[in-house]
Amino acid sequence: MSETRIVQVADDEMKNAVSEACALLRAGEIVALPTETVYGLGADALNPEAVAKVFAAKERPSFDPLIVHIASRGDLKNVAIVPDDIAETVNKLTAAFWPGPLTIILPKHPDVPDLVTSGLPTVAVRQSAHPVFRAIGKELGRPIAAPSANRFGRISPTSASAVMKELGGRIPLIVDAGACSEGVESTIISIEPRKGKKPIFRLHRAGPITKEQLQDFGRVEKVREIKCDAPQAPGQLESHYAPLTPLILLEKPEDFVPEEGKKYGLLSYTGDDDSPYVTMHDWETIESLSPGSGKLAEAAIRLFFVMRLLDEAGLDAIMAEPVSETGLGVAIMDRLRRASINFK
Ligand code: TXA
Ligand code: MG
């Protein structure tokens, strides 16, 4: 592959982009597509050769399974087999959160190739809310396997230009629909039924659908992190979402001990002077997640964009200020920890 084209989705006209993307997907090609969370690298989920190209372009190890995106709730039965004891819960969750950034791990349908699920008996499924992604899924009439459109372990892309930096020259097409509206990847859960009680939701990855939102339907418990080469949900791999410049997540301002002559940048929450992180050092550069206002939703949208800016600023290291771990802050801190070289 030598050239990657970008096709822009005009405000009132997405037909061309949709049919171009579908033609490539039907031909077993891979295409970068916008979703509400991050840009995905899509392939026909039922075509193992196409799926293999996703792993190759991303340099993704084959033990890391992909999320399957369906066009409508009714398509769930084509990719997963929902056990009777969780059927009601799945109904309630999908009615409440689909289309949207919630991925549910379910027993896989035999039609889904083993390559998609890395040989696991389960498949991760979601229905994207992005109008362009939805239109492509509908016209294609087949499920789309799509991981984030970055090279393995690197920062997820939230714009077409970020995809170009990650995968330019490796894929034929990027469908550009502007910036993603959520900014961090979907929440991933599996469901454990309990007799006479609300089910347990195992949180495999924190995301835009928060623990607080899920609690109406069941008890949310974190998946225990297992440190091994092929973890149960490799989104939990220790180093992930990482810039090339070392990033250190600070717990408190005193943790920062600058070395003489080194250039440091700050990834701040608001960038305001009343933050001790902002004032404690003469920073080479400061980038803020939610400039001035301190809104977690804005911080999530800007997180990967700001990480890229700082990564390209020629720094020796990036210091990150923590955000409060409530609501969306849980997903933001999760990504910062995994991007950080001091992640434990
Ligand atoms: O928001 C999103 O989820 C984006 C957009 C493109 O939809 N996709 C995304 O895909 O973040 P990816 O591949 O970067 O992350 C998928 C995560 C991985 O950590 C993978 O290990 C986990 O989902 N996963 C997939 N199938 C699984 C399964 N059967 N069991 C456990 N974890 C699974
Ligand atoms: Mg990813």
Side-chain angles (χ1 to χ4, degrees):
M1 184 80 45
S2 55
E3 199 198 346
T4 301
R5 285 190 329 103
I6 296 188
V7 57
Q8 241 129 17
V9 178
D11 284 347
D12 51 348
E13 182 51 81
M14 60 168 154
K15 257 202 348 252
N16 290 345
V18 169
S19 41
E20 225 180 298
C22 284
L24 284 164
L25 292 169
R26 273 196 204 103
E29 274 307 329
I30 53 178
V31 180
L33 304 170
T35 86
E36 73 278 39
T37 56
V38 300
Y39 274 73
L41 181 59
D44 176 346
L46 304 181
N47 177 346
E49 276 112 58
V51 172
K53 291 181 188 171
V54 170
F55 282 92
K58 279 184 61 96
E59 296 168 39
R60 181 172 174 125
S62 58
F63 62 69
D64 194 1
L66 309 182
I67 293 175
V68 171
H69 300 68
I70 51 174
S72 72
R73 280 174 73 197
D75 289 346
L76 181 59
K77 61 180 183 317
N78 304 333
V79 296
I81 295 165
V82 180
D84 288 344
D85 54 2
I86 59 168
E88 197 189 326
T89 303
V90 170
N91 262 332
K92 285 186 187 161
L93 287 172
T94 56
F97 300 114
W98 282 5
L102 178 69
T103 297
I104 307 177
I105 297 173
L106 293 164
K108 115 181 173 50
H109 189 287
D111 284 354
V112 177
D114 284 334
L115 187 57
V116 172
T117 62
S118 301
L120 291 173
T122 53
V123 61
V125 190
R126 86 174 186 102
Q127 185 193 4
S128 169
H130 197 291
V132 176
F133 195 100
R134 294 186 75 179
I136 291 170
K138 216 170 133 200
E139 184 164 319
L140 187 67
R142 292 168 77 83
I144 298 174
S148 50
N150 50 280
R151 277 170 283 151
F152 184 68
R154 300 274 340 267
I155 306 171
S156 299
T158 50
S159 67
S161 65
V163 177
M164 191 55 124
K165 281 182 194 145
E166 289 289 324
L167 299 175
R170 300 178 179 207
I171 59 174
L173 188 72
I174 300 169
V175 178
D176 179 1
C180 300
S181 60
E182 300 282 355
V184 290
E185 302 86 345
S186 62
T187 305
I188 305 180
I189 59 164
S190 56
I191 304 169
E192 266 174 43
R194 291 189 298 173
K195 273 228 166 70
K197 283 191 191 163
K198 280 189 175 174
I200 293 175
F201 299 146
R202 300 264 174 225
L203 187 64
H204 294 248
R205 181 172 71 187
I209 302 297
T210 61
K211 181 176 178 183
E212 290 82 349
Q213 285 171 288
L214 290 168
Q215 264 160 352
D216 291 342
F217 304 89
R219 201 171 86 196
V220 182
E221 286 182 10
K222 259 200 98 174
V223 171
R224 204 162 45 87
E225 305 246 340
I226 310 156
K227 296 202 172 171
C228 64
D229 289 340
Q232 207 192 350
Q236 303 174 49
L237 281 173
E238 291 143 56
S239 172
H240 225 85
Y241 318 106
L244 297 174
T245 313
L247 182 147
I248 294 169
L249 175 60
L250 301 169
E251 269 170 46
K252 47 188 188 314
E254 303 82 70
D255 291 345
F256 176 53
V257 188
E259 281 176 44
E260 190 79 37
K262 293 238 160 122
K263 288 189 204 156
Y264 295 100
L266 178 69
L267 192 162
S268 175
Y269 183 35
T270 63
D272 281 348
D273 279 350
D274 57 11
S275 154
Y277 293 91
V278 170
T279 49
M280 73 185 180
H281 183 73
D282 186 12
W283 301 102
E284 192 75 19
T285 173
I286 299 175
E287 295 292 348
S288 310
L289 294 178
S290 180
S293 51
K295 292 203 177 71
L296 286 170
E298 184 185 26
I301 291 173
R302 286 174 50 82
L303 176 66
F304 291 135
F305 168 70
V306 162
M307 266 165 62
R308 273 177 198 281
L309 278 183
L310 287 165
D311 200 15
E312 287 161 9
L315 302 164
D316 290 301
I318 302 163
M319 299 297 137
E321 177 184 339
V323 305
S324 78
E325 249 171 306
T326 53
L328 256 179
V330 177
I332 295 171
M333 283 295 280
D334 171 73
R335 305 305 188 273
L336 285 174
R337 279 200 187 96
R338 289 174 206 287
S340 171
I341 56 167
N342 61 335
F343 175 72
K344 289 185 233 39

